[in-house]
Amino acid sequence: MLAIVVAAGCYVGYAAIRHARPVTLPAPTGQYAVGRTTVDWTDSTRTDPIAPQAGRSRELSVWLWYPAPPGTTGPRAPYAPGAWSGLHLPGPIGLAETNFGAVRDHALDRVPVAAGQFPVVVLEPGLGFAVPQYTTIAEDLASHGYLVAGVTPTYSANLTVLHGGAVHSSPAGNPRAFDGTDLHAGAAQEAGDRLVQVWSADARFTAGQVAGLGRAGDFAGHVDANHTVYIGHSFGGAAALQACHDDPRCTGAANLDGTQFGPVVHSGLDRPTLTMASEDSCVTGTCQPASAADRSDQATARTLLAASTGSTFRYQITGMRHFNFTDYATYYLAGPLRSQLALGSIDGDHGLAITSAYLTAFLNYVEHDRPDPLLTKPDRRYPQVKIL
């Protein structure tokens, strides 16, 4: 018994040390330095349907990552400033996760924008997540010349921050109907179809606001408002597809491991789409279903594919699971905690490098008409990627 107690104490001590040890996110691979700023926007045209208090206008927190001139220096933008630190696991269990104050990102705080006009990328997180947890992907895309607007869906995220204060999820924003395994059965399907419309409207509103930034202020003349791509993870991927369907300015959409919802499933898309799936996912429409939920995901994906006329790019990534598309892949996580999260065997940094590389290739194709062999041919740098 004494040996067990001693071993447990040693493990807790080790976890505490790792909790405090700095972790540096993967470095952006593009030619630009990366700037970051944040804004709170209110959509006065919409009454928020998922706010706990009736009659409120929809309010959103948006993080902007953007190209800065190469070689720019300045203060680093903190990973999770102020009340955003509440994204960290609370209490004693938080010792099992890297302290967010020790996470080193690469964006610089409110530095000047690089010369040129940059296409807009609207990024939406998965249900419960917030955009700071996708910093690795956002920074890399910005370094390649894209203005990335990450929008956290208020009342659906476990935490967002508006006007400096923490705001948590509501029953309407994160419905209990999603607690089941089959998201396309009964009440879950209905809830998903309703909520994806709210998220799609969030994304389109954000795109419009970013376009407005190009007319005055720090971003004047730097926004290519005629080219917008929507990107999302999990439920955010479903919202990205629906937003592209609803926005005539949209040039393409990318879905990271998200089963699809909304009218777009049956009407399809006439613009290019990219879908990246974890190894145990059926959201590409190609898998060996192991459950009723898998069969539902597969059938939904196939319905969308059959209805779509735009070019499609689909990939399955061996060793990646659902959380590997987020910054969770980069944190230290103690073994007992890691075992409870959807993280695969792939090296976390490498999995995010794969994600960023394929997203960049897709964006260069749809925004600049630059076909990249990476989209259609195997690449020895990424043997984990299966082209479907």
Side-chain angles (χ1 to χ4, degrees):
M1 177 63 71
L2 178 61
I4 294 175
V5 172
V6 171
C10 290
Y11 187 79
V12 171
Y14 170 76
I17 292 171
R18 290 296 306 271
H19 164 80
R21 183 178 298 172
V23 169
T24 301
L25 300 182
T29 59
Q31 63 176 312
Y32 293 100
V34 178
R36 197 192 79 198
T37 190
T38 62
V39 291
D40 294 339
W41 282 327
T42 299
D43 185 351
S44 58
T45 68
R46 283 193 295 157
T47 299
D48 195 329
I50 58 176
Q53 302 87 14
R56 297 178 64 94
S57 294
R58 183 76 170 151
E59 291 185 289
L60 296 166
S61 172
V62 178
W63 286 35
L64 299 169
W65 289 269
Y66 55 89
T72 298
T73 59
R76 183 181 59 84
Y79 181 69
W84 288 105
S85 64
L87 291 169
H88 195 274
L89 294 172
I93 195 175
L95 289 175
E97 177 183 38
T98 297
N99 184 331
F100 282 1
V103 176
R104 303 290 183 256
D105 58 10
H106 301 276
L108 304 174
D109 189 26
R110 291 172 290 183
V111 294
V113 187
Q117 282 195 326
F118 304 106
V120 177
V121 176
V122 179
L123 171 65
E124 290 196 290
L127 188 68
F129 288 95
V131 291
Q133 294 166 304
Y134 297 81
T135 292
T136 301
I137 290 173
E139 288 184 341
D140 196 69
L141 295 180
S143 78
H144 285 275
Y146 296 97
L147 202 172
V148 181
V151 52
T152 298
T154 312
Y155 304 118
S156 289
N158 293 334
L159 179 141
T160 189
V161 177
L162 290 170
H163 314 298
V167 178
H168 299 280
S169 63
S170 70
N174 197 333
R176 291 289 299 274
F178 288 158
D179 291 347
T181 57
D182 190 344
L183 296 178
H184 295 288
Q189 177 74 61
E190 295 175 4
D193 286 342
R194 285 194 302 270
L195 190 60
V196 80
Q197 299 280 27
V198 178
W199 286 37
S200 167
D202 290 348
R204 290 180 284 112
F205 168 75
T206 298
Q209 291 293 104
V210 174
L213 292 178
R215 294 190 285 270
D218 295 340
F219 290 90
H222 296 296
V223 181
D224 180 358
N226 295 318
H227 294 86
T228 300
V229 172
Y230 294 97
I231 292 175
H233 170 235
S234 193
F235 196 80
L241 295 170
Q242 186 62 51
C244 188
H245 173 273
D246 297 340
D247 186 353
R249 297 169 302 183
C250 176
T251 51
N255 170 21
L256 305 177
D257 211 34
T259 190
Q260 303 89 353
F261 289 96
V264 67
V265 171
H266 295 282
S267 57
L269 266 173
D270 59 0
R271 281 150 282 183
T273 59
L274 174 146
T275 302
M276 300 187 75
S278 55
E279 67 177 9
D280 56 354
S281 174
C282 290
V283 302
T284 59
T286 303
C287 67
Q288 296 294 324
S291 65
D294 285 349
R295 288 190 289 274
S296 294
D297 287 349
Q298 183 184 59
T300 301
R302 287 180 172 178
T303 299
L304 173 63
L305 286 167
S308 296
T309 57
S311 55
T312 60
F313 303 94
R314 296 177 296 145
Y315 312 95
Q316 204 96 17
I317 308 174
T318 302
M320 288 187 70
R321 296 183 65 204
H322 200 57
F323 279 32
N324 283 99
F325 294 96
T326 76
D327 287 345
Y328 270 98
T330 70
Y331 308 152
Y332 162 72
L333 298 166
L337 174 60
R338 184 182 178 87
S339 68
Q340 300 303 307
L341 301 178
L343 289 164
S345 59
I346 195 170
D347 174 80
D349 287 7
H350 185 60
L352 285 168
I354 291 172
T355 304
S356 294
Y358 280 82
L359 286 175
T360 298
F362 177 71
L363 289 171
N364 288 342
Y365 167 65
V366 299
E367 299 284 31
H368 302 296
D369 195 25
R370 294 203 299 262
D372 190 323
L374 184 66
L375 294 175
T376 55
K377 298 179 181 179
D379 191 299
R380 62 184 181 183
R381 294 172 297 173
Y382 310 123
Q384 300 88 354
V385 176
K386 180 181 179 182
I387 300 175
L388 303 175

